[in-house]
Amino acid sequence: MGSGQSSDKFHCNRYLNGQGPPSLVQQANEGVNGMHRALNGCQPEGQMTWVILQRDLPGFPDDNTLQMNYVFLSGIQTEKHPHPGQPYAGLRLCAYLPDNREGRRVLKLLDKAFNQQLLFSVATNKDGKDVITTASIPLKTQPDGGSKV
């Protein structure tokens, strides 16, 4: 690389040429094939359950709905959180997927991310309080359209 080229530009060119890092789907497939190393994040202790609702989601009129329920009690931050020893607020959250082949595949990936403590994290909100929030995977939190967390 010449002196007139920055490493940032080279990094961007890798993405433009389709040679960036593997997608989440590729990473998950590698995990299924046993090639992906186990990761553990900084998610607090919590519980994930799911149920099937006898209703459809917008855009999926022929499918029932998978409802994932996430429950985190309030607690004290550990060394893997932003402010060890300080409290954080708990969270109760529902998320939705269509109950079809693709939805079941995503549910399996979300379950894997949850068990590896990658789906949620502790962060400081705009009011300055430490709360549990989604890490980097958006979740559909309204069954009739609306916002994603």
Side-chain angles (χ1 to χ4, degrees), residues 37-56:
R37 61 184 163 84
L39 298 174
N40 285 311
C42 58
Q43 175 178 292
E45 289 296 317
Q47 182 180 21
M48 175 185 175
T49 59
W50 60 274
V51 296
I52 298 173
L53 304 178
Q54 302 300 313
R55 60 159 299 185
D56 63 299

Side-chain angles (χ1 to χ4, degrees), residues 48-50 66-70 93-97 107 110:
M48 175 185 175
T49 59
W50 60 274
L66 297 169
Q67 176 182 293
M68 288 82 55
N69 305 297
Y70 301 98
L93 179 75
C94 294
Y96 304 92
L97 292 168
L107 174 64
L110 289 173

Side-chain angles (χ1 to χ4, degrees), residues 15-16 26 43 50 53 112 139:
Y15 286 93
L16 293 173
Q26 289 170 321
Q43 175 178 292
W50 60 274
L53 304 178
K112 181 177 181 177
L139 299 173

Side-chain angles (χ1 to χ4, degrees), residues 60-105:
F60 299 92
D62 300 326
D63 300 319
N64 287 322
T65 298
L66 297 169
Q67 176 182 293
M68 288 82 55
N69 305 297
Y70 301 98
V71 179
F72 296 91
L73 300 177
S74 295
I76 303 296
Q77 297 179 57
T78 66
E79 65 280 348
K80 62 185 179 178
H81 299 129
H83 303 112
Q86 297 298 311
Y88 61 83
L91 174 72
R92 290 181 180 272
L93 179 75
C94 294
Y96 304 92
L97 292 168
D99 186 14
N100 57 26
R101 183 177 173 186
E102 184 69 13
R104 293 285 178 140
R105 190 172 138 291

Side-chain angles (χ1 to χ4, degrees), residues 55 57-58 94-96 139-149:
R55 60 159 299 185
L57 290 172
C94 294
Y96 304 92
L139 299 173
K140 178 176 178 51
T141 58
Q142 300 294 321
D144 296 314
S147 66
K148 295 179 184 176
V149 172

